[in-house]
């Protein structure tokens, strides 16, 4: 059971880096040290899987593989398979706080390929052991990625029929024809997991636990759907019969059309949820705590006819319910899980969360609704139960400062009244809201890094149902100041969430805005 504590949400991609995107470089270790000295106990990240369409970590080519972008080029330089000059001469983009994914793709993969060619990886006994231990997912993934490149990146449902349907002779042909391409992707996974485990071990040694994140759904264009079509609602040609999304609501008039294939839950039940046991075992080894995205989909999921251009014609179907998690616990034992139960709540979803015993999520930005929404009251901090994780916002929300500026005058007035604070300047009000969440009963409080920094919506990570402007924000080294660190330490200590002792406050130097 989690003790009263605090953490920071910062995607790996947002770590400072001179090579185009945050990764497992020295900056990651420095951030762990920074978290430790700020009194934090948790570092929450977004999914680590290789990104596909829209560069979203929630649309991945695999539910098991790691993102090659996160491999530290600095480590490869130290190994002697790359030179600093080669890395510094690659063009990763010009903006210091924005990832340029097009330039990243065009610059980073050639460097990784060069590192592989110089590695003599096949003679490495650790690599051979990695293949033996991970072949159950790695063989299909590496072949999938190699064939995908052969078909110029086309989705697998557009490949030639023989390999699209995995006919035996086609599999044998491509395994021979693309041997070195397959080995390249196996090498990338070996380096990813080698570097990630080293970083995680270091974080744990510093008293920092990692909260990982897994999407409920696999992407349609993934090794999972290609290699295991029986797991999904696909027809005889391996095309979806229905896809995932969310129904229309006040935020999206046409709903959200995600496009992920839906699970064939009867098949999963008949196989004793073997794939889910393997998937969650893998995640429990990667992370200390696993946040399961869209947890409500295990109670009921929204099924949209394949080919529809909006989510308007979908319907709710029953999911596996508590049976899945009882089966997983019998197989793997108890593990720390966070249930992302945001969205439209029903009695059956609430019942599933209660039965699971998992802490669910409370997001402050949902709390203030001058229209008197009953659902909003669940997010008012005085209503938080102890068994929950409290956030100011998530990767899908506006930044806290951006939200304060964008809500209606009525909602802002309601929020100030709740704070009992009419005096703090609006530019400093994010600290008042952070303090509000911190002093709730929630056992764990996680604050996005952008909210501590008081960034406006230029620092927002994702706006759902949009592409092209998301997952871009990253830190500069100069952002992680000692002053910010001490302020985070102080506010965590004030509300008994700090893992580190904090000096008593100097009355002449208030650490936050003057209360109202």
């Amino acid at each position: 059971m989690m003790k009263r504590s605090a953490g920071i949400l910062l995607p790996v991609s947002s770590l400072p880096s001179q090579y185009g995107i945050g990764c497992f470089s020295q900056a990651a270790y420095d951030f762990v040290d920074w978290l430790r000295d700020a009194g934090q106990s948790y570092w929450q990240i977004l999914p680590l899987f290789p990104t596909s369409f829209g560069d979203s970590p929630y649309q991945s080519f695999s539910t098991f593989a790691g993102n090659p972008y996160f491999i530290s080029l600095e480590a490869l330089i130290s190994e002697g398979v790359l030179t600093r000059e080669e890395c510094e001469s690659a063009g990763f983009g010009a903006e210091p706080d924005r990832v340029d994914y097009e330039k990243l793709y065009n610059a980073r993969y050639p460097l990784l390929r060069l590192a592989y060619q110089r590695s003599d990886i096949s003679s490495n006994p650790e690599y051979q052991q990695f293949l033996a231990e991970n072949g159950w997912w790695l063989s299909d993934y590496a072949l999938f990625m190699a064939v995908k490149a052969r078909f110029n990146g086309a989705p697998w449902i557009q490949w030639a029929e023989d390999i699209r349907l995995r006919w035996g002779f086609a599999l044998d042909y491509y395994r021979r024809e693309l041997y070195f391409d397959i080995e390249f992707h196996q090498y990338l996974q070996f380096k990813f997991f080698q570097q990630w485990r080293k970083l995680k071990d270091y974080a744990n040694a510093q008293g920092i636990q990692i909260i990982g994140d897994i999407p409920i759904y696999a992407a349609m264009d993934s090794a999972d759907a290609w290699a295991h079509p029986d797991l999904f609602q696909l027809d005889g040609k391996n095309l979806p019969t229905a896809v995932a999304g969310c129904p229309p609501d006040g935020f999206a008039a046409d709903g959200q059309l995600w496009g992920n294939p839906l699970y064939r839950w009867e098949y999963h039940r008949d196989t004793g949820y073997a794939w889910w046991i393997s998937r969650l075992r893998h995640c429990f080894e990667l992370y200390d705590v696993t946040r399961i995205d869209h947890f409500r989909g295990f109670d009921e999921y929204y099924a949209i006819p394949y080919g529809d251009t909006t989510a308007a014609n979908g319907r709710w179907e029953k999911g596996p319910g508590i049976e899945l998690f009882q089966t997983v616990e019998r197989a793997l034992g108890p593990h720390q899980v966070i249930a992302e139960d945001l969205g439209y709540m029903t009695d059956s979803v609430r019942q599933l969360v209660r039965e699971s015993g998992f802490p669910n999520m409370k997001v402050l930005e949902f709390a203030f609704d001058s229209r008197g929404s009953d659902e909003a009251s669940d997010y008012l901090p005085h209503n938080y139960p102890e068994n929950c994780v409290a956030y100011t916002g998530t990767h899908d929300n506006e930044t806290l400062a951006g939200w304060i500026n964008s809500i209606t005058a009525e909602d802002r007035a309601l929020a100030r009244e709740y704070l009992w604070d009419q005096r703090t300047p609006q530019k400093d009000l994010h600290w008042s809201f952070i303090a509000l969440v911190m002093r709730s009963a929630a056992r764990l409080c996680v604050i996005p890094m952008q909210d501590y920094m008081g960034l406006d919506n230029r620092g927002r990570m994702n706006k759902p149902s949009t592409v092209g402007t998301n997952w871009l924000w990253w830190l500069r080294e100069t952002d992680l100041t000692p002053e910010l660190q001490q302020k985070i330490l102080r506010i965590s200590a004030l509300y008994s969430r700090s893992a580190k002792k904090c000096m008593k406050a100097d009355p002449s130097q208030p650490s936050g805005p003057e209360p109202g």
Side-chain angles (χ1 to χ4, degrees):
M1 180 179 291
M2 296 175 182
K3 64 180 182 179
R4 187 172 176 83
S5 52
I8 290 178
L9 169 58
L10 181 75
V12 171
S13 63
S14 294
L15 288 166
S17 173
Q18 60 181 318
Y19 298 134
I21 194 170
C23 61
F24 305 146
S25 63
Q26 183 59 43
Y29 292 82
D30 293 343
F31 182 66
V32 167
D33 293 344
W34 197 88
L35 285 173
R36 176 200 63 207
D37 293 341
Q40 304 303 286
S41 299
Y42 292 89
W43 175 13
Q44 181 168 333
I45 59 177
L46 297 186
L48 291 174
F49 313 118
T51 53
S52 59
F53 176 71
D55 306 301
S56 168
Y58 295 90
Q59 291 285 348
S60 173
F61 291 132
S62 170
T63 59
F64 295 95
N67 190 340
Y69 286 155
F70 296 160
I71 296 170
S72 169
L73 299 186
E74 294 172 5
L76 298 183
I77 292 169
S78 298
E79 292 175 19
V81 292
L82 290 177
T83 69
R84 190 165 300 279
E85 292 72 23
E86 288 167 339
C87 295
E88 291 179 352
S89 64
F92 293 109
E95 292 192 71
D97 63 348
R98 285 288 184 274
V99 177
D100 187 325
Y101 282 101
E102 181 180 0
K103 290 184 177 178
L104 183 70
Y105 178 83
N106 290 327
R108 205 170 184 100
Y109 272 100
L111 288 170
L112 294 172
R113 189 84 184 205
L114 192 59
Y116 156 68
Q117 292 168 348
R118 294 169 176 168
S119 68
D120 190 27
I121 192 62
S122 60
S123 64
N124 185 328
E126 291 183 28
Y127 169 75
Q128 294 298 336
Q129 182 179 353
F130 176 77
L131 294 184
E133 293 175 352
N134 294 276
W136 55 276
W137 65 266
L138 181 57
S139 295
D140 283 325
Y141 168 74
L143 177 60
F144 173 85
M145 294 302 292
V147 176
K148 186 175 184 63
R150 173 59 62 92
F151 285 96
N152 298 314
W156 67 267
I157 59 174
Q158 297 177 15
W159 296 353
E161 184 180 32
D162 57 354
I163 190 62
R164 177 170 61 83
L165 298 180
R166 293 175 58 86
W167 295 347
F169 74 86
L171 293 173
D172 292 341
Y173 169 79
Y174 283 105
R175 286 179 183 131
R176 290 193 306 270
E177 182 76 8
L178 302 177
Y179 177 85
F180 292 106
D181 298 306
I182 292 168
E183 189 176 65
F184 169 58
H185 287 286
Q186 292 175 160
Y187 166 79
L188 295 181
Q189 292 306 303
F190 171 65
K191 299 311 297 184
F192 172 93
F193 284 101
Q194 182 186 59
Q195 292 185 9
W196 170 246
R197 291 196 171 102
K198 182 180 177 182
L199 175 59
K200 182 180 178 296
D201 288 346
Y202 181 81
N204 291 164
Q206 305 310 307
I208 303 296
Q209 290 193 289
I210 304 294
I211 301 176
D213 193 340
I214 67 167
I216 181 176
Y217 293 120
M220 183 61 203
D221 190 24
S222 67
D224 308 274
W226 173 66
H228 304 286
D230 289 347
L231 299 173
F232 305 95
Q233 294 181 26
L234 306 182
D235 63 18
K237 295 182 179 180
N238 286 355
L239 295 175
T241 56
V243 295
C246 280
D249 58 22
F251 298 99
D254 293 326
Q256 296 180 31
L257 179 60
W258 301 338
N260 305 74
L262 297 167
Y263 294 111
R264 186 176 284 136
W265 284 116
E266 299 84 356
Y267 177 86
H268 288 271
R269 186 176 293 111
D270 291 344
T271 57
Y273 299 103
W275 184 80
W276 276 98
I277 291 171
S278 297
R279 185 184 184 192
L280 289 173
R281 179 190 289 114
H282 187 67
C283 291
F284 294 156
E285 291 171 355
L286 281 179
Y287 315 123
D288 299 300
V289 184
T290 300
R291 171 192 178 274
I292 301 180
D293 191 59
H294 196 60
F295 190 81
R296 69 145 299 140
F298 295 106
D299 173 57
E300 289 182 316
Y301 60 91
Y302 195 65
I304 304 163
Y306 180 62
D308 280 13
T309 57
T310 75
N313 295 323
R315 65 179 187 273
W316 290 104
E317 303 281 359
K318 288 301 295 181
I322 194 63
E323 179 186 59
L324 167 62
F325 299 100
Q326 291 172 336
T327 303
V328 169
E329 184 166 345
R330 283 195 297 269
L332 304 179
H335 287 82
Q336 294 189 89
V337 171
I338 297 171
E340 191 275 296
D341 61 339
L342 306 177
Y344 179 67
M345 294 292 287
T346 63
D347 289 341
S348 59
V349 175
R350 294 187 179 94
Q351 178 65 21
L352 176 60
V353 174
R354 283 195 297 269
E355 289 180 346
S356 73
F358 302 148
N360 64 337
M361 292 174 55
K362 301 296 182 185
V363 178
L364 183 69
E365 288 187 19
F366 298 155
F368 301 104
D369 186 344
S370 57
R371 296 167 297 179
S373 164
D374 292 337
E375 202 167 307
S377 67
D378 291 341
Y379 298 103
L380 289 168
H382 72 271
N383 287 328
Y384 293 177
E386 187 179 0
N387 189 36
C388 75
V389 183
Y391 297 81
T392 47
T394 74
H395 63 277
D396 281 336
N397 297 114
E398 296 178 87
T399 64
L400 187 54
W403 169 79
I404 293 169
N405 291 330
S406 71
I407 58 177
T408 66
E410 291 80 8
D411 286 353
R412 194 178 303 114
L414 177 63
R416 276 196 179 268
E417 184 179 24
Y418 188 85
L419 287 169
W420 209 250
D421 180 354
Q422 302 298 330
R423 297 169 59 186
T424 300
Q426 191 162 309
K427 67 181 180 61
D428 295 324
L429 204 55
H430 59 283
W431 281 107
S432 299
F433 283 109
I434 290 170
L436 183 63
V437 171
M438 281 280 193
R439 60 180 176 257
S440 72
R443 196 173 293 128
L444 174 59
C445 178
V446 177
I447 308 295
M449 193 70 205
Q450 298 96 312
D451 289 353
Y452 273 129
M453 294 169 65
L455 298 182
D456 62 20
N457 280 333
R458 181 172 166 81
R460 182 174 183 169
M461 280 305 293
N462 180 52
K463 186 175 183 180
S465 297
T466 66
V467 295
T469 58
N470 300 317
W471 322 108
L472 305 180
W473 178 80
W474 62 345
L475 277 170
R476 296 166 294 189
E477 289 184 24
T478 54
D479 292 329
L480 296 174
T481 64
E483 293 77 16
L484 180 61
Q485 183 184 68
Q486 288 304 304
K487 201 164 185 178
I488 294 172
L489 173 60
R490 184 62 187 155
I491 200 169
S492 301
L494 277 173
Y495 301 114
S496 300
R497 294 188 182 277
S498 175
K500 180 181 174 71
K501 288 187 177 180
C502 182
M503 294 178 63
K504 291 183 179 180
D506 181 350
S508 66
Q509 298 291 327
S511 60
E514 185 180 358

